[in-house]
């Protein structure tokens, strides 16, 4: 996945995505442990689904950010990240809420066989949305990008100015 994000976007975006996905997996495994749910093939399938959902969230987040980096070349990175997130937030919340509503029926009426799968997926949707905003984007803000051409490139040193 790091190679895909690195190829599709850039290294700093890939590092942000990988850190956020590791965050999602660790938190989801921690919740499964706290809830004392058995880690079975079903919960592993749910965990892989969470990884896929989370990666999709990161790609959407980074794609909007990349578009705005090209559009607003002189705007500070912090403001571009804020603008990008505000532009996609309503779509993101609608998608996550719809997924949780769809999973709620199976969560409450699916019985003990489906509970670990659906519980893991519901938690994964919540934590995947959270990590897109509060883990992946701050890593990009800390790493920094330069926007002197069409593609954003990582800064060479902390405090270096573009151009």
């Amino acid at each position: 996945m790091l190679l895909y994000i690195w190829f599709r976007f850039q290294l700093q975006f890939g590092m942000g995505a990988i850190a956020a996905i590791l965050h999602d997996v660790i938190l989801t495994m921690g919740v499964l442990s706290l809830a004392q749910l058995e880690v079975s093939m079903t919960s592993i399938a749910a965990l892989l689904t969470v990884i896929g959902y989370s990666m999709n969230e990161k790609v959407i987040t980074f794609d909007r950010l990349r578009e705005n980096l090209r559009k607003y070349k002189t705007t500070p990175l912090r403001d571009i990240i804020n603008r990008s997130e505000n532009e996609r937030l309503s779509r993101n919340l609608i998608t996550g809420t719809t997924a949780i509503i769809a999973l709620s029926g199976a969560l409450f009426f699916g019985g003990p066989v489906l509970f670990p799968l659906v519980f893991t997926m519901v938690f994964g949707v919540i934590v995947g949305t959270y990590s897109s905003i509060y883990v992946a984007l701050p890593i990009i803000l800390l790493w920094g990008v330069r926007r002197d051409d069409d593609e954003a490139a990582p800064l060479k040193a902390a405090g270096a100015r573009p151009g």
Side-chain angles (χ1 to χ4, degrees):
M1 284 190 193
L2 174 63
L3 293 175
Y4 169 73
I5 294 293
W6 189 359
F7 175 74
R8 175 88 163 81
F9 298 100
Q10 291 168 27
L11 180 61
Q12 70 268 28
F13 290 101
M15 297 306 282
I18 294 301
I21 289 172
L22 284 174
H23 168 270
D24 298 347
V25 169
I26 290 169
L27 254 56
T28 304
M29 292 296 290
V31 165
L32 288 175
S33 177
L34 287 174
Q36 296 182 352
L37 294 173
E38 178 185 358
V39 178
S40 63
M41 294 301 280
T42 305
S43 57
I44 291 172
L47 196 58
L48 291 173
T49 304
V50 166
I51 291 171
Y53 180 85
S54 182
M55 181 55 93
N56 185 49
E57 284 290 318
K58 295 351 167 233
V59 167
I60 291 168
T61 301
F62 295 156
D63 199 36
R64 179 59 58 125
L65 178 59
R66 188 174 63 168
E67 287 174 13
N68 285 337
L69 282 169
R70 288 181 182 150
K71 190 188 285 185
Y72 304 105
K73 292 184 184 260
T74 60
T75 306
L77 181 59
R78 178 181 304 271
D79 294 339
I80 292 175
I81 288 173
N82 186 40
R83 175 185 292 270
S84 301
E85 193 55 34
N86 286 333
E87 288 175 358
R88 75 165 202 97
L89 190 59
S90 63
R91 178 222 169 264
N92 188 23
L93 291 176
I94 290 170
T95 303
T97 303
T98 303
I100 290 173
I101 289 171
L103 291 168
S104 295
L107 183 65
F108 295 115
F109 302 117
V113 174
L114 287 180
F115 185 79
L117 172 81
V118 179
F119 178 78
T120 304
M121 289 175 66
V122 167
F123 183 78
V125 166
I126 294 167
V127 78
T129 302
Y130 168 84
S131 71
S132 292
I133 300 167
Y134 295 108
V135 176
L137 290 175
I139 288 175
I140 291 176
L141 184 62
L142 289 173
W143 189 297
V145 293
R146 188 175 61 224
R147 294 163 286 166
D148 55 355
D149 55 2
D150 282 342
E151 290 294 320
L155 290 175
K156 298 215 181 348
R161 296 205 171 248

